Amino acid sequence: MRYNFDHVDRVAIKVSIYVILSFTIIYILSSIVNVIPEVCMIILNTFLYVLGVLKPLWIALIIAYLLYPISVWIKKGLFKEIIKRRRKKEQNGEEIKKKERFKTFVSVLVTYVLIISIITTVIIMGFVMIKGKLETTNLDSLISGTKNYMDETKVFLESNLKARLDASHLLSTDLKDKVTEFVQGIGNVGQVIFDFIINLFSGIMDNLISFMLALVLAFYIMVDLEFFEKIYKEGQRLILPKRYCNRINRFLIEVDGVVSKFIRGQLLDCSIVAAISIISLSIVGLEYAFLVGLFAGLANIIPYFGPFIGVAVAVVIGLLSPEPITALYALIVLGVIQQIDGNILVPRIVGQSVGLHPVFILLAVIVGIQFGLVGMILAVPTAGVVKLVVLKIVAARKRKLES
């Protein structure tokens, strides 16, 4: 039997084709959607692996960025020629390049020696201070006394707090349980601090090789900076049109201005806070005043949260000392220093280096917490760069609308 296709409903055929095509497209899209997470994870893992392999290079670039301005300043100070025996036009071009390279090499070397000497001096001073305290203190009695102090505090809080919670009818049962769990966890604070110190030193030892390799790479990067700049510019011209190269270079100069201002201001501010904290904590008689004050100054790099961390460390050291009243003195002293820093030093020294509202700075730090200590430190300059990008996009959009 032969079908007569002239009598077949053409509308039904079209609908059938549309339905088949629709289901085919849906199936293909669903397959792609199911594969997207796996592809993204592969790309992310590959990116993280490359970052891990190139970790010494990233660290070297950061070190070179931080130390190069110092080396330039040292170069100007060391090789300032008051009387020139020969004019530059009488010198050979190759000879001038060799002399400039030698000056750069010496200035970078002096920079390394200066920075390493400062760090070594601080470490030795801290070690001598701790060693002197340990020689006059029985370490076993200190550890056992600290443990007993934490246990007694835990028992006191549990007994008193439990009675008060049971007598309270305003709090819910879930909230009472949460408070009780929190108090019970106080007894484990000593173990938590010990584990943190162990993990910190383990992380330092794991990254020590990468850091040493980064120091070597940073040295060569600073010495041969002109060579690497030449490679960058030539590669940029091969990949991008000239107008885009100029835009990118101008943008990078602006980014460098924002970041360098922030770094210089923060380092100066932290140095002043550290010096004042060391002197003040020494006056009130806090043990390890030098190390605690130095830590308070370094913690000041982290906006908002850093000062609280420095104060917390000083209070804990004071509570564990033979005279717990020094914890109150340290709290008052560091509180006054932070008020002076926040209202006088930061506005004048750091100023509007990134030009961000305090709300955005706080949000940036909260986001940076997700990436650890480095994220908290880099949160503000990163937010400043993001602000610069957004302003450029908005300005370009306005120009386009006006034209």
Side-chain angles (χ1 to χ4, degrees):
M1 180 178 180
R2 299 179 62 184
Y3 292 98
N4 187 2
F5 288 98
D6 294 334
H7 298 287
V8 177
D9 191 353
R10 294 185 178 182
V11 176
I13 294 175
K14 289 181 179 180
V15 171
S16 301
I17 293 173
Y18 290 152
V19 170
I20 293 172
L21 288 176
S22 299
F23 277 105
T24 303
I25 293 172
I26 292 172
Y27 175 77
I28 293 173
L29 291 177
S30 62
S31 300
I32 294 174
V33 170
N34 291 331
V35 173
I36 285 176
E38 298 180 2
V39 174
C40 291
M41 287 303 298
I42 293 173
I43 296 174
L44 179 61
N45 292 331
T46 304
F47 179 72
L48 293 176
Y49 175 76
V50 173
L51 285 180
V53 172
L54 298 178
K55 186 197 303 186
L57 178 59
W58 307 128
I59 299 175
L61 292 175
I62 294 174
I63 294 174
Y65 182 79
L66 294 175
L67 297 185
Y68 184 72
I70 301 176
S71 68
V72 172
W73 178 75
I74 292 176
K75 181 180 178 180
K76 291 179 180 178
L78 286 178
F79 299 99
K80 188 176 182 180
E81 298 176 356
I82 300 176
I83 299 176
K84 296 182 179 180
R85 294 183 179 180
R86 292 187 300 174
R87 297 179 181 178
K88 281 190 175 182
K89 63 181 182 180
E90 297 177 355
Q91 295 179 351
N92 188 8
E94 193 67 26
E95 185 179 350
I96 295 175
K97 289 183 180 179
K98 288 182 179 180
K99 286 188 176 182
E100 288 297 322
R101 180 179 171 80
F102 174 75
K103 293 177 182 179
T104 304
F105 174 82
V106 174
S107 62
V108 172
L109 183 62
V110 172
T111 303
Y112 263 62
V113 173
L114 179 63
I115 298 298
I116 293 174
S117 299
I118 294 174
I119 296 174
T120 305
T121 303
V122 172
I123 293 174
I124 291 175
M125 291 176 65
F127 177 76
V128 170
M129 185 179 300
I130 294 175
K131 183 181 177 182
K133 290 291 183 182
L134 292 178
E135 287 178 351
T136 58
T137 305
N138 189 345
L139 189 60
D140 294 334
S141 63
L142 178 63
I143 295 174
S144 61
T146 303
K147 185 177 183 302
N148 293 332
Y149 178 80
M150 297 300 297
D151 292 339
E152 291 174 1
T153 304
K154 177 184 175 183
V155 172
F156 173 78
L157 289 175
E158 285 182 352
S159 59
N160 287 272
L161 188 63
K162 189 175 185 304
R164 292 181 180 275
L165 288 176
D166 293 337
S168 175
H169 301 287
L170 298 176
L171 300 178
S172 63
T173 305
D174 294 337
L175 183 58
K176 291 180 181 179
D177 294 338
K178 293 292 184 183
V179 175
T180 304
E181 291 177 2
F182 172 75
V183 174
Q184 290 175 350
I186 293 178
N188 300 323
V189 170
Q191 184 64 36
V192 171
I193 295 175
F194 180 77
D195 293 339
F196 172 77
I197 294 173
I198 295 297
N199 294 331
L200 178 63
F201 279 100
S202 299
I204 291 174
M205 295 305 297
D206 291 339
N207 295 307
L208 185 60
I209 297 177
S210 297
F211 184 74
M212 297 301 293
L213 183 59
L215 286 176
V216 177
L217 290 174
F219 184 87
Y220 284 108
I221 289 173
M222 288 191 289
V223 171
D224 295 324
L225 185 61
E226 293 183 0
F227 170 74
F228 291 108
E229 285 182 349
K230 184 179 179 181
I231 292 179
Y232 165 74
K233 291 180 180 179
E234 290 180 353
Q236 192 183 50
R237 291 168 185 167
L238 290 175
I239 298 174
L240 300 173
K242 185 177 180 180
R243 56 188 181 127
Y244 290 114
C245 294
N246 295 332
R247 289 181 183 177
I248 292 174
N249 292 333
R250 285 196 300 267
F251 173 72
L252 291 178
I253 291 173
E254 294 178 2
V255 170
D256 174 67
V258 172
V259 175
S260 60
K261 286 181 182 178
F262 175 80
I263 291 175
R264 287 195 298 267
Q266 282 294 102
L267 289 178
L268 181 58
D269 176 65
C270 293
S271 300
I272 295 175
V273 170
I276 298 175
S277 299
I278 292 171
I279 296 172
S280 302
L281 293 176
S282 300
I283 293 174
V284 300
L286 183 70
E287 290 188 340
Y288 310 107
F290 178 80
L291 295 179
V292 176
L294 181 62
F295 179 81
L298 292 176
N300 214 51
I301 295 177
I302 304 173
Y304 296 105
F305 297 99
F308 290 102
I309 297 173
V311 171
V313 172
V315 170
V316 171
I317 296 295
L319 291 174
L320 297 178
S321 65
E323 298 180 1
I325 191 63
T326 54
L328 178 61
Y329 298 154
L331 178 62
I332 295 173
V333 165
L334 291 182
V336 173
I337 292 173
Q338 291 303 326
Q339 289 298 318
I340 295 173
D341 177 59
N343 295 300
I344 299 176
L345 296 180
V346 171
R348 292 179 179 274
I349 297 176
V350 181
Q352 300 294 326
S353 58
V354 292
L356 288 173
H357 192 275
V359 173
F360 294 109
I361 294 177
L362 184 59
L363 291 175
V365 175
I366 292 174
V367 174
I369 292 175
Q370 310 302 320
F371 300 94
L373 179 62
V374 177
M376 296 176 70
I377 295 174
L378 299 179
V380 176
T382 303
V385 173
V386 172
K387 176 200 170 186
L388 185 62
V389 174
V390 172
L391 290 179
K392 284 192 167 295
I393 293 174
V394 172
R397 182 64 178 171
K398 286 183 178 179
R399 287 195 300 268
K400 186 176 180 180
L401 292 175
E402 290 174 356
S403 61

